[in-house]
Short mmCIF file of all heavy atoms in Angstrom, two decimals:
data_model
loop_
_atom_site.label_atom_id
_atom_site.label_comp_id
_atom_site.label_asym_id
_atom_site.label_seq_id
_atom_site.Cartn_x
_atom_site.Cartn_y
_atom_site.Cartn_z
N TYR A 59 34.14 -59.75 32.91
CA TYR A 59 35.48 -60.05 33.11
C TYR A 59 36.14 -59.01 34.03
O TYR A 59 35.77 -57.72 33.78
CB TYR A 59 36.36 -60.02 31.73
CG TYR A 59 36.12 -61.11 30.87
CD1 TYR A 59 35.41 -61.00 29.65
CD2 TYR A 59 36.51 -62.42 31.08
CE1 TYR A 59 35.12 -62.09 28.71
CE2 TYR A 59 36.35 -63.45 30.21
CZ TYR A 59 35.61 -63.32 29.02
OH TYR A 59 35.31 -64.34 28.22
N ALA A 60 36.92 -59.38 34.95
CA ALA A 60 37.59 -58.44 35.63
C ALA A 60 38.68 -57.75 34.82
O ALA A 60 39.12 -58.37 33.91
CB ALA A 60 38.38 -59.13 36.89
N ASP A 61 38.94 -56.46 35.14
CA ASP A 61 39.92 -55.68 34.38
C ASP A 61 41.27 -56.46 34.25
O ASP A 61 41.87 -56.40 33.27
CB ASP A 61 40.05 -54.37 34.91
CG ASP A 61 38.87 -53.46 34.62
OD1 ASP A 61 38.03 -53.84 33.85
OD2 ASP A 61 38.80 -52.39 35.44
N SER A 62 41.53 -57.19 35.39
CA SER A 62 42.85 -57.76 35.37
C SER A 62 43.04 -58.87 34.49
O SER A 62 44.20 -59.43 34.17
CB SER A 62 43.25 -58.34 36.82
OG SER A 62 42.08 -59.27 37.25
N VAL A 63 41.92 -59.42 33.95
CA VAL A 63 42.11 -60.64 33.01
C VAL A 63 41.49 -60.31 31.66
O VAL A 63 41.58 -61.12 30.71
CB VAL A 63 41.43 -61.85 33.58
CG1 VAL A 63 41.90 -62.24 35.04
CG2 VAL A 63 39.93 -61.73 33.65
N LYS A 64 40.99 -59.21 31.55
CA LYS A 64 40.18 -58.82 30.24
C LYS A 64 41.17 -58.82 29.15
O LYS A 64 42.43 -58.45 29.18
CB LYS A 64 39.55 -57.47 30.40
CG LYS A 64 38.40 -57.16 29.33
CD LYS A 64 37.85 -55.86 29.71
CE LYS A 64 37.00 -55.95 31.07
NZ LYS A 64 36.33 -54.66 31.46
N ASP A 65 40.75 -59.46 27.97
CA ASP A 65 41.59 -59.62 26.84
C ASP A 65 42.59 -60.65 26.89
O ASP A 65 43.37 -60.89 25.91
CB ASP A 65 42.26 -58.24 26.32
CG ASP A 65 41.18 -57.17 26.10
OD1 ASP A 65 40.14 -57.52 25.41
OD2 ASP A 65 41.53 -56.00 26.31
N ARG A 66 42.72 -61.38 27.99
CA ARG A 66 43.68 -62.43 28.10
C ARG A 66 42.88 -63.77 28.49
O ARG A 66 43.41 -64.81 27.98
CB ARG A 66 44.61 -62.17 29.23
CG ARG A 66 45.55 -61.03 28.94
CD ARG A 66 46.62 -60.88 30.13
NE ARG A 66 46.05 -60.70 31.42
CZ ARG A 66 46.33 -61.61 32.42
NH1 ARG A 66 47.16 -62.71 32.23
NH2 ARG A 66 45.88 -61.41 33.66
N PHE A 67 41.78 -63.72 29.18
CA PHE A 67 41.13 -64.91 29.59
C PHE A 67 39.79 -64.92 28.86
O PHE A 67 39.14 -63.87 28.57
CB PHE A 67 40.81 -64.89 31.10
CG PHE A 67 42.01 -65.01 31.96
CD1 PHE A 67 43.24 -65.06 31.52
CD2 PHE A 67 41.81 -65.20 33.33
CE1 PHE A 67 44.41 -65.23 32.28
CE2 PHE A 67 42.97 -65.43 34.19
CZ PHE A 67 44.17 -65.41 33.63
N THR A 68 39.25 -66.18 28.51
CA THR A 68 38.00 -66.29 27.81
C THR A 68 37.16 -67.44 28.55
O THR A 68 37.68 -68.49 28.69
CB THR A 68 38.17 -66.65 26.37
OG1 THR A 68 39.07 -65.76 25.72
CG2 THR A 68 36.81 -66.83 25.68
N GLN A 81 39.80 -70.31 29.48
CA GLN A 81 40.92 -70.27 28.62
C GLN A 81 41.79 -69.16 29.14
O GLN A 81 41.39 -67.95 28.97
CB GLN A 81 40.66 -70.10 27.13
CG GLN A 81 41.90 -70.15 26.26
CD GLN A 81 42.72 -71.44 26.33
OE1 GLN A 81 42.16 -72.42 26.20
NE2 GLN A 81 44.04 -71.24 26.42
N MET A 82 43.02 -69.37 29.57
CA MET A 82 43.88 -68.36 30.09
C MET A 82 45.13 -68.18 29.23
O MET A 82 46.01 -69.18 29.16
CB MET A 82 44.26 -68.64 31.54
CG MET A 82 43.08 -68.83 32.51
SD MET A 82 43.54 -69.13 34.19
CE MET A 82 44.42 -70.74 34.08
N ASN A 83 45.23 -67.11 28.61
CA ASN A 83 46.42 -66.86 27.69
C ASN A 83 47.30 -65.65 28.33
O ASN A 83 46.81 -64.85 29.19
CB ASN A 83 45.93 -66.50 26.32
CG ASN A 83 45.16 -67.57 25.66
OD1 ASN A 83 45.35 -68.73 25.91
ND2 ASN A 83 44.31 -67.20 24.78
N ASN A 84 48.46 -65.63 27.80
CA ASN A 84 49.37 -64.58 28.19
C ASN A 84 49.42 -64.34 29.77
O ASN A 84 49.27 -63.36 30.35
CB ASN A 84 48.96 -63.16 27.71
CG ASN A 84 50.05 -62.18 27.78
OD1 ASN A 84 51.28 -62.44 27.99
ND2 ASN A 84 49.61 -60.95 27.72
#
Side-chain angles (χ1 to χ4, degrees):
Y59 289 110
D61 288 343
S62 56
V63 306
K64 202 170 292 183
D65 300 325
R66 298 188 299 121
F67 291 9
T68 303
Q81 178 66 44
M82 305 186 294
N83 297 330
N84 191 21

